[in-house]
Amino acid sequence: MKRLLVIGIGAGDPDHLTLQAAKAIARTDVFFLVDKGEVKDELVRLRQDLIAEHGRPPYRIAEARDPERDRGASAYTAAVADWRSRRALACEALIGEELADGETGAFLVWGDPGVYDSTLAIVEEILQRGNVTFDYEVIPGISSVAALTARHRTSLTRVGRPVHLTTGRRLAEEGATADDVVVMLDAHCSFDGLDDGDISGDSSWDIYWGAYLGTPDEILVSGKVSEVGERIRELRAEARARKGWIMDTYLLRRAPRADR
């Protein structure tokens, strides 16, 4: 049977690669790369560098182009589902055409495959269609959330308090549902409008923000949202204009009521 590895490679620093992940790369026959276009070439280059360092020849690299996603669609969930299905078809073709029975193929996943990533859902969709069959294994990686808290030297959790992992879109719609909120890829800096009114006037909220975590372009900002929120907006806009893309994450933390 064909075997597939879904390998978490960390948030951007080559040293984020775990020993388990390095061993998994070493036993891979075919690496599948889904190209997101010239703007994000460096994301592909990191994967290629890791393969060159840890792969054992003779291995092969098979590439496909990532389908375009309608980011302006009003029905966000339906648009994502459509994009994911088209991506699954591209990945299915790679597995069916490039991986022989008895061989091991691998997808190298940014961060951790189980944190804010679609690869596992795509793999399950391919299996459910039944056109190709394979067994697969997931190798965890250092997520951007772990990298963020480490770089800011803060803990993700506090005693007896929940943490909510969400998106900028949901934060803008629902507000904060916990005193500790991790927000992924917030294009609109939704920390400007949480519950308790305008967060920019609520000094009880701290933010720990990071972009391009683990890479030479890493940017870190922390402090009261009322004091650093505008700076984050400016840095984010400048970085995105310069590179053509941005991946950022932040932790919002509200002080206990006795401290407000």
Side-chain angles (χ1 to χ4, degrees), residues 62 96 98 116 171 181 197 223 231 242 244 255 260:
E98 302 290 344
Y116 204 72
L171 182 69
V181 182
R231 182 180 172 213
R242 182 177 68 255
R260 296 189 214 172

Side-chain angles (χ1 to χ4, degrees), residues 49 56 63 68 98 118 125 155 174 182 188 242 248:
D49 290 345
R56 291 184 182 174
E63 300 185 49
E68 293 294 329
E98 302 290 344
S118 62
E125 183 173 329
S155 174
E174 301 172 358
V182 175
H188 302 291
R242 182 177 68 255
D248 63 336

Side-chain angles (χ1 to χ4, degrees), residues 129-185:
R129 277 205 289 262
N131 297 322
V132 293
T133 57
F134 52 86
D135 188 19
Y136 77 96
E137 179 184 351
V138 181
I139 311 298
I142 294 176
S143 69
S144 62
V145 179
L148 176 78
T149 54
R151 294 294 289 128
H152 281 291
R153 298 182 296 182
T154 189
S155 174
L156 177 63
T157 58
R158 293 186 286 179
V159 176
R161 293 177 178 272
V163 175
H164 185 193
L165 179 65
T166 190
T167 65
R169 180 185 295 267
R170 297 297 294 268
L171 182 69
E173 293 174 354
E174 301 172 358
T177 56
D179 288 340
D180 296 272
V181 182
V182 175
V183 183
M184 312 291 287
L185 301 178

